[in-house]
């Protein structure tokens, strides 16, 4: 509520009487939006909307957050002046309808009579998809100008919430890149690097973990602040297929989501297709390609009872037109198997020139169609929102998820609790020991009742995923998932969780509601002078790395100290640190460490932070970006190295550890993609200076680095750099490391894992696995599978992570899982004086899989 009041105060300050003259977009920018070769940047976009705010009582712009690089994120509220003047009242109605399951029929009707439909559109989260944000000024002007009586009528019933750009940093990067090459042969080339500080195209994959500030700002719209009833997420797709996608989506869908959400998305999609076709906009499709099972397509808002959907428009090359030959047009199945007139595409586009201005036309008409539909069904939509709230609460009665107080990693428990609070979920804590279904839950255990309005969200993130297998024909081909099939919070974070279904469970008087921020840190300041941080806790590494950064004494235990602080745990001596430094370290903790009166009487080794290099390509390297985020979040300094620079760097002089994240080894080597399907290399669309690899000399440099005592950590596709015959010098001795990747052989036998939590066994008491449980679930997405062999000469090897035997799939979907049984997913290799750690999975997958973070952190400390 405090956050909401702050936002409303900001809104009220932005409500001066209209004074400035309303400028048309073309007059403001000096060109009409959509003009070939021209785009405005984020600052110019916001300046225009702020001017519209000043000129019209029908729009108010309010800041809701900041991007990772410090730019403001805004909502432009567009409606009738009367609605905007009573916006605070309307938002209170939204909140009541969304969260109050106990409204009487008369109370609900009164709110429906007074309420308006709030429709939010988030534009251009993927910054290479420039059209939606470039359309924003035209849409805003069309709505506020008052020239169209129909629009004026719709806005009496609807508050349109435009997020003019979900990714301000990326928008500026893309526009700057386009302008740099405009008028040259590289105009329209792909922007090198990530169009975001960390995650690039993966930002819609962050609506589970909410690691990025821009993602959180958008998520809070649905779960904490504004509670709109309708949402659209605006995207673009390739140039040679359908022109536009509208809902409904293709199967499979999230089975926890109420049928009404899917029915309403079909209503909105049908109206968009009807209006766009009537306007002569060809190539509009529905029920095609995009499923709505995974959480990335609608920002998890449909799991929170919002009627949510996405649209996808065909792309030009930013503002550069493209010509599409009729013979180049095609579709790829999942709703359209031929590029022909059909029920899912009743008016195909015939080919020809495709421009940014065309995209703007499609965005204008589709947006107006949604606003019109909101107006036509205002009362039904508002009633549906509260009816759904009541239904979900009723469905959840007698069901609970319980997180036992005693966990392997208490810091992971705290993180999960705070994440659920961030998502608008209510949680309670047991104040005394309780027995439920013959299990004893200790004091402090966390209780998540499912009798909440956001019950679908709770189910989706707390239970293990069971992929809904749907087929094109009875008993025929399976409809393959669009993306990952597992995201269970407890499994990804290594937190024990039990579901209790008991209508007789009684918690009254034994629980207290948890408020944010939640912590288990009970002692602070000078009381924490000499402490031991268990290796089992991810939070221990965060605090330990911060201590090392500040020059505070830090050691790792060479032997167990206690049952809760095993080998590899950290000992920190804060007694000699200044108050500011001590508090900086303690601020990283969310649990209470072991407090000592003196130095621990166990063998220990001093810890020195390694000099870390992260090899990142220019090829929109999202996995490297996520790695940077995790390293920054855990206070681990590093330096970025580009593959083409490796031959000119003395790696041993500059680094102790090198990290190579998941990227095809051909990109590192040659600056080219190599497709698994065809086995051939192909060039990306970047300017030539960005497509240079390390070449054979760079690969030899990596080998020399290892032989001379360096540590290399590699996972996914980059592990291919170390397969086959290697040499440290051009004419030097050749050798082969004692492993090979057998994943391609397994795929030929039918192995298919699109993003699945797989039961795996961890080698005990190895420096890379300090602090880990013996059995965990790893998020495996069909990457390398290793076969090791008996080493020769100056080499050794150990299997660190192996797939279990039997019952491998813990969550999600997999085919031929028996082929993985007992195979190696992570290995350690010694060569010469150095070490190599290889993983067939991403240990830091999208900053979601904390259960495997320690594999990365411990590997960094091998040097």
């Amino acid at each position: 509520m405090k956050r909401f009041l702050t936002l409303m105060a900001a809104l009220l300050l932005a409500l001066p009487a209209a004074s400035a003259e309303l400028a048309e977009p073309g007059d403001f920018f000096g060109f009409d939006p959509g003009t070939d070769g021209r785009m405005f940047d984020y600052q110019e976009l916001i300046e225009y909307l702020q001017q519209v705010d000043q000129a019209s009582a029908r729009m108010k712009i309010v800041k809701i957050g900041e991007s990772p690089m410090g730019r403001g994120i805004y909502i432009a509220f567009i409606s009738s002046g009367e609605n905007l003047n009573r916006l605070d009242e309307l938002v209170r109605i939204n909140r009541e309808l969304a969260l109050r399951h106990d409204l009487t029929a008369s109370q609900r009707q009164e709110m429906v009579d007074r309420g308006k439909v709030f429709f939010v559109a988030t534009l251009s989260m993927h910054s290479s998809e420039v059209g939606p944000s470039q359309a924003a000024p035209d849409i805003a002007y069309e709505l506020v100008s008052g020239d169209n009586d129909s629009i004026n009528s719709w806005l009496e019933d609807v508050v349109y919430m435009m997020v003019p750009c979900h990714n301000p940093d990326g928008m500026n990067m893309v526009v700057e890149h386009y302008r740099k090459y405009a008028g040259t042969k590289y105009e329209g080339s792909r922007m090198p690097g990530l169009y975001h500080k960390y995650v690039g195209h993966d930002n819609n994959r962050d609506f589970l973990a909410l690691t990025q500030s821009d993602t959180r700002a958008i998520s809070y719209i649905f779960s904490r602040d504004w509670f709109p009833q309708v949402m659209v997420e605006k995207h673009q797709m390739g140039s040679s297929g359908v022109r536009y996608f509208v809902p409904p989506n293709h199967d499979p869908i999230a089975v926890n989501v109420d049928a009404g959400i899917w029915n309403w998305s079909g209503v909105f999609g049908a109206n968009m297709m009807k209006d766009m076709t009537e306007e002569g906009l060809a190539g509009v499709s529905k029920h095609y390609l995009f499923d709505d099972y995974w959480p990335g397509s609608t920002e998890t808002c449909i799991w929170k009872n919002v009627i949510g959907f996405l649209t996808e428009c065909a792309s030009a090359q930013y503002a550069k037109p493209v010509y599409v030959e009729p013979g180049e047009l095609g579709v790829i199945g999942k709703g359209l198997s031929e590029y022909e007139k059909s029920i899912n595409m009743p008016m195909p586009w015939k080919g020809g020139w495709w421009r940014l201005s065309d995209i703007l036309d499609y965005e204008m008409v589709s947006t107006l169609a949604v606003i019109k539909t909101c107006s036509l069904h205002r009362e039904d939509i508002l009633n549906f929102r509260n009816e759904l709230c009541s239904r979900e609460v009723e469905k959840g009665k007698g069901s609970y998820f319980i997180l036992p107080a005693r966990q392997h990693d208490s810091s992971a428990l705290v993180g999960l609790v705070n994440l659920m609070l961030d998502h608008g979920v209510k949680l309670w804590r047991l104040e005394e020991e309780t027995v439920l279904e013959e299990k004893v839950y200790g004091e402090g255990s966390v209780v998540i009742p499912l009798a909440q309005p956001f019950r679908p969200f709770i189910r989706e993130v707390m239970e293990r995923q069971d992929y809904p297998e749907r087929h094109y024909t009875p008993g025929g081909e399976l409809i393959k998932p669009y993306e990952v099939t597992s995201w269970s919070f407890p499994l990804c974070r290594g937190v024990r969780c039990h579901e209790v279904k008991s209508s007789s469970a009684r918690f009254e008087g034994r629980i207290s509601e948890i408020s944010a921020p939640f912590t288990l840190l009970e002692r602070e300041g000078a009381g924490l002078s000499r402490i031991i941080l268990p290796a089992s806790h991810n939070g221990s590494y965060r605090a330990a790395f911060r201590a090392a950064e500040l020059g505070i004494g830090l050691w790792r235990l060479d032997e167990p100290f206690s049952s809760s602080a095993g080998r590899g745990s950290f000992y920190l001596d804060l007694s000699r640190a200044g108050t500011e430094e001590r508090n900086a370290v303690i601020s990283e903790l969310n649990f209470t460490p072991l407090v000592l009166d003196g130095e621990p009487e166990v063998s220990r080794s001093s810890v020195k932070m390694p000099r870390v290099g992260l090899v990142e390509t220019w090829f929109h390297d999202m996995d490297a970006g996520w790695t940077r985020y995790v390293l920054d979040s855990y206070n681990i300094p590093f330096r970025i190295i580009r593959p083409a620079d490796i031959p000119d760097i003395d790696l041993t002089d500059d680094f102790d550890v090198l990290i190579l994240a998941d990227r095809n080894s051909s990109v590192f080597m040659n600056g080219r993609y190599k497709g698994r399907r065809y086995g051939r290399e192909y060039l990306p669309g970047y300017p030539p200076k960005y497509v240079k690899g390390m070449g054979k000399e760079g690969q030899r440099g990596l080998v020399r680095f290892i032989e001379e005592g360096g540590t290399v950590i590699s996972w996914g596709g980059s592990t291919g750099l170390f397969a086959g015959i290697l040499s440290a010098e051009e004419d030097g001795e050749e050798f082969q490391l004692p492993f090979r990747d057998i994943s391609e052989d397994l795929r030929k036998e039918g192995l298919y894992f699109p993003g699945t939590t797989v039961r795996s066994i961890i080698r005990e008491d190895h420096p890379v696995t300090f602090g880990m449980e013996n059995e965990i679930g790893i998020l495996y997405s069909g990457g390398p599978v290793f076969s090791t062999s008996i080493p020769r000469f100056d080499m050794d090897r150990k299997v660190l992570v192996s797939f279990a035997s039997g019952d491998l799939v813990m969550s999600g979907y997999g085919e031929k899982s028996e082929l993985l049984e007992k195979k190696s997913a992570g290995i350690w290799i010694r060569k010469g004086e150095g070490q190599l750690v290889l993983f067939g999975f991403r240990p830091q997958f999208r900053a979601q899989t904390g259960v495997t973070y320690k594999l990365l952190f411990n590997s960094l400390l091998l040097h």
Side-chain angles (χ1 to χ4, degrees):
M1 179 61 73
K2 181 178 179 181
R3 174 181 166 82
F4 171 73
L5 292 174
T6 300
L7 288 169
M8 291 311 304
L11 180 64
L12 291 173
L13 290 174
L15 289 173
S19 57
E21 182 179 350
L22 179 62
E24 294 190 26
D27 294 334
F28 181 87
F29 295 112
F31 62 91
D32 290 331
T35 298
D36 291 351
R38 303 294 298 273
M39 290 192 293
F40 45 80
D41 62 23
Y42 183 70
Q43 182 178 348
E44 292 166 335
L45 169 59
I46 297 304
E47 287 175 353
Y48 175 73
L49 294 177
Q50 288 172 334
Q51 186 178 99
V52 175
D53 180 344
Q54 293 296 313
S56 173
R58 295 159 67 93
M59 190 178 94
K60 302 301 172 189
I61 188 167
V62 61
K63 182 178 178 180
I64 61 167
E66 287 193 350
S67 72
M69 298 174 74
R71 293 180 175 87
I73 299 176
Y74 299 89
I75 297 176
F77 292 86
I78 303 175
S79 189
S80 69
E82 179 184 355
N83 287 343
L84 293 185
N85 284 334
R86 50 190 289 258
L87 192 58
D88 55 345
E89 175 199 353
L90 295 177
V91 174
R92 281 196 296 271
I93 291 172
N94 284 356
R95 181 183 294 271
E96 296 282 289
L97 292 175
L99 302 181
R100 287 280 307 278
H101 69 283
D102 57 349
L103 292 176
T104 65
S106 61
Q107 286 175 323
R108 178 197 293 170
Q109 189 58 53
E110 181 185 359
M111 290 184 183
V112 169
D113 290 343
R114 297 185 357 248
K116 307 298 177 183
V117 173
F118 278 60
F119 158 45
V120 61
T122 59
L123 310 185
S124 295
M125 67 158 59
H126 295 152
S127 299
S128 59
E129 302 164 9
V130 300
S133 286
Q134 295 294 314
D138 280 348
I139 293 172
Y141 182 82
E142 181 72 11
L143 293 174
V144 305
S145 65
D147 296 336
N148 186 305
D149 291 338
S150 293
I151 291 175
N152 295 341
S153 175
W154 302 337
L155 292 179
E156 294 293 330
D157 299 320
V158 180
V159 177
Y160 175 48
M161 303 168 62
M162 175 198 288
V163 179
C165 184
H166 178 128
N167 183 1
D169 303 332
M171 179 176 180
N172 273 12
M173 293 176 191
V174 166
V175 172
E176 180 181 350
H177 169 76
Y178 183 81
R179 288 171 174 172
K180 177 180 179 180
Y181 291 100
T184 75
K185 70 178 188 177
Y186 302 121
E187 179 179 357
S189 61
R190 295 184 63 180
M191 190 204 91
L194 294 172
Y195 47 64
H196 190 275
K197 183 176 181 179
Y198 291 117
V199 304
H201 195 85
D202 263 357
N203 54 2
N204 61 327
R205 277 77 171 173
D206 189 47
F207 276 97
L208 290 169
L210 302 183
T211 66
Q212 306 301 307
S213 60
D214 45 356
T215 312
R216 289 193 296 274
I218 303 301
S219 179
Y220 293 164
I221 294 173
F222 311 112
S223 55
R224 291 174 44 163
D225 296 330
W226 304 100
F227 300 97
Q229 294 83 26
V230 181
M231 186 282 287
V232 65
E233 184 181 297
K234 292 287 192 173
H235 288 272
Q236 288 175 214
M237 52 187 167
S239 304
S240 56
V242 302
R243 295 300 91 186
Y244 210 79
F245 166 79
V246 300
N249 291 68
H250 197 278
D251 278 325
I253 58 175
V255 296
N256 285 315
V257 173
D258 188 86
I261 295 288
W262 305 118
N263 293 334
W264 273 111
S265 73
V267 170
F268 279 95
N271 285 345
M272 279 191 277
M273 176 172 278
K274 175 179 68 68
D275 288 1
M276 295 173 78
T277 303
E278 286 178 357
E279 291 292 327
L281 302 179
V284 180
S285 68
K286 64 178 181 179
H287 198 250
Y288 171 60
L289 184 59
F290 304 99
D291 71 45
D292 213 346
Y293 164 69
W294 71 295
S297 61
T298 48
E299 303 171 0
T300 71
C301 78
I302 62 171
W303 297 356
K304 299 171 183 175
N305 302 337
V306 177
I307 301 167
F309 42 90
L310 83 159
T311 65
E312 299 263 357
C313 189
S315 296
Q317 292 179 354
Y318 304 131
K320 179 183 178 181
V322 296
Y323 188 87
V324 184
E325 293 284 355
E328 294 170 344
L329 291 167
V331 290
I332 60 174
K334 288 186 75 171
L336 286 171
S337 297
E338 298 82 27
Y339 190 87
E340 299 291 347
K341 184 174 183 177
S342 69
I343 195 65
N344 289 338
M345 184 174 61
M347 190 170 75
W349 186 66
K350 297 180 180 180
W353 283 106
W354 185 252
R355 291 179 155 83
L356 179 58
S357 59
D358 295 314
I359 300 172
L360 268 58
D361 289 342
Y362 281 64
E363 294 300 342
M364 174 69 78
V365 179
S366 69
T367 300
L368 295 180
V370 176
I371 294 173
K372 179 174 72 172
T373 304
C374 289
S375 174
L376 291 172
H377 299 282
R378 182 194 67 83
E379 186 171 347
D380 287 342
I381 290 171
L382 295 180
N383 268 311
F384 172 71
R385 183 60 186 268
N386 191 245
E387 290 166 359
L388 187 51
C389 167
S390 299
R391 279 206 296 272
E392 297 298 352
V393 171
E394 187 63 30
K395 288 178 188 176
K397 287 182 177 178
S399 294
Y400 310 86
F401 285 104
I402 301 183
L403 311 177
R406 191 177 182 86
Q407 297 281 347
H408 179 75
D409 181 352
S410 296
S411 67
L413 171 65
V414 174
L416 195 158
V417 167
N418 282 314
L419 179 57
M420 295 296 281
L421 291 170
D422 249 8
H423 274 292
V425 175
K426 292 185 177 296
L427 303 91
W428 281 262
R429 204 173 179 208
L430 287 178
E431 295 181 338
E432 60 184 66
E433 186 178 280
T434 302
V435 179
L436 291 170
E437 295 185 347
E438 301 182 349
K439 287 188 176 71
V440 178
Y441 296 97
E443 178 185 353
S445 295
V446 175
V447 178
I448 310 176
L450 274 87
Q452 300 189 49
F454 294 171
R455 184 198 70 90
F457 176 84
I458 299 171
R459 277 227 163 274
E460 285 288 345
V461 300
M462 295 303 296
E463 67 186 7
R464 299 183 179 194
Q465 279 66 55
D466 183 10
Y467 180 70
E469 297 183 28
R470 305 292 182 263
H471 300 80
Y472 291 103
T473 58
E477 180 186 355
L478 179 84
I479 301 173
K480 295 290 182 68
Y482 183 82
E483 240 263 3
V484 296
T485 61
S486 177
W487 47 81
S488 166
F489 281 1
L491 286 178
C492 286
R493 288 157 176 76
V495 175
R496 288 188 300 123
C497 172
H498 302 132
E499 183 175 1
V500 174
K501 295 182 179 180
S502 174
S503 59
S504 62
R506 294 290 180 266
F507 294 110
E508 290 84 357
R510 290 183 287 176
I511 59 174
S512 57
E513 187 171 353
I514 297 173
S515 58
F518 175 65
T519 183
L520 293 176
L521 180 62
E522 296 176 354
R523 296 176 62 179
E524 299 183 15
L528 298 174
S529 293
R530 292 183 175 89
I531 59 176
I532 287 182
L533 303 172
S536 57
H537 289 36
N538 283 351
S540 295
Y541 293 80
R542 191 193 303 269
F545 292 146
R546 185 65 187 276
E549 180 185 35
L550 296 171
I552 295 172
L554 175 66
W555 293 264
R556 292 199 91 174
L557 306 187
D558 299 325
E559 56 189 279
F561 176 80
S562 68
S563 60
S564 61
R567 188 179 173 207
S569 295
F570 296 95
Y571 167 58
L572 272 70
D573 184 356
L574 300 175
S575 62
R576 299 179 183 178
T579 301
E580 185 175 342
E581 288 77 13
R582 181 191 297 116
N583 290 340
V585 174
I586 299 305
S587 70
E588 300 289 351
L589 296 175
N590 60 16
F591 64 95
T592 301
L594 301 177
V595 181
L596 308 180
D597 295 327
E599 295 187 354
E601 296 180 359
V602 295
S603 173
R604 59 186 186 273
S605 301
S606 178
V607 173
K608 179 183 177 183
M609 284 298 290
R611 300 168 300 163
V612 179
L614 173 64
V615 184
E616 181 173 349
T617 78
W618 289 108
F619 285 30
H620 204 81
D621 219 338
M622 290 175 286
D623 194 51
W626 282 115
T627 305
R628 284 192 281 107
Y629 171 75
V630 170
L631 295 178
D632 281 343
S633 298
Y634 278 81
N635 307 306
I636 302 169
F638 63 93
R639 195 178 109 197
I640 294 174
I641 312 168
R642 301 299 177 183
D645 296 333
I646 289 178
D648 301 321
I649 298 174
D650 189 326
L651 296 173
T652 304
D653 278 355
D654 291 353
F655 302 101
D656 301 305
V657 180
L658 296 178
I659 300 173
L660 294 99
D662 184 20
R663 172 60 76 185
N664 192 293
S665 59
S666 66
V667 174
F668 288 104
M669 284 292 293
N670 309 316
R672 291 170 172 80
Y673 291 115
K674 187 174 183 179
R676 177 184 296 170
R677 184 175 180 184
Y678 301 108
R680 62 171 182 260
E681 293 184 350
Y682 56 97
L683 288 169
Y686 299 102
K689 63 185 287 188
Y690 299 104
V691 295
K692 297 177 181 179
M694 68 177 72
K696 286 289 186 180
E697 181 55 37
Q699 187 183 37
R700 288 191 287 268
L702 292 178
V703 173
R704 285 196 300 274
F705 174 74
I706 296 170
E707 289 193 327
E708 293 171 1
T711 299
V712 168
I713 309 167
S714 168
W715 58 82
S718 67
T719 62
L721 291 168
F722 307 99
I725 297 173
L726 303 172
S727 174
E729 304 293 342
E730 185 173 359
D731 298 317
E733 180 180 276
E734 294 182 331
F735 64 90
Q736 197 163 355
L737 295 173
F739 85 97
R740 65 188 183 95
D741 175 12
I742 61 172
S743 59
E744 188 59 36
D745 296 335
L746 300 181
R747 275 190 289 273
K748 290 176 181 177
E749 294 183 52
L751 183 72
Y752 175 67
F753 276 69
T756 310
T757 302
V758 181
R759 191 164 64 92
S760 303
I761 306 301
I762 304 297
R763 187 187 192 100
E764 294 184 7
D765 210 32
H766 187 280
V768 174
T769 64
F770 283 162
M772 299 193 69
E773 294 184 282
N774 175 250
E775 181 177 300
I776 64 170
I778 64 171
L779 202 292
Y780 176 66
S781 302
V785 178
F786 304 116
S787 173
T788 59
S789 57
I790 298 173
R792 297 180 184 273
F793 310 127
D794 61 345
M795 291 177 275
D796 194 6
R797 54 78 187 92
K798 284 185 171 59
V799 175
L800 304 173
V801 185
S802 56
F803 296 112
S805 177
D807 297 322
L808 262 68
V809 175
M810 301 176 75
S811 177
Y813 182 77
E815 294 178 0
K816 292 292 186 79
S817 61
E818 66 273 12
L819 295 173
L820 284 179
E821 291 187 13
K822 300 183 181 180
K823 300 294 193 302
S824 300
I827 57 177
W828 168 89
I829 294 173
R830 178 176 58 80
K831 174 65 173 83
E833 299 297 319
Q835 304 174 77
L836 181 65
V837 185
L838 305 178
F839 300 112
F841 57 95
R842 305 178 211 171
Q844 46 34 300
F845 182 81
R846 295 175 180 167
Q848 296 175 16
T849 53
V851 69
T852 48
Y853 278 10
K854 284 182 277 287
L855 294 170
L856 172 59
F857 300 153
N858 286 327
S859 297
L860 289 170
L861 296 174
L862 283 174
H863 71 287

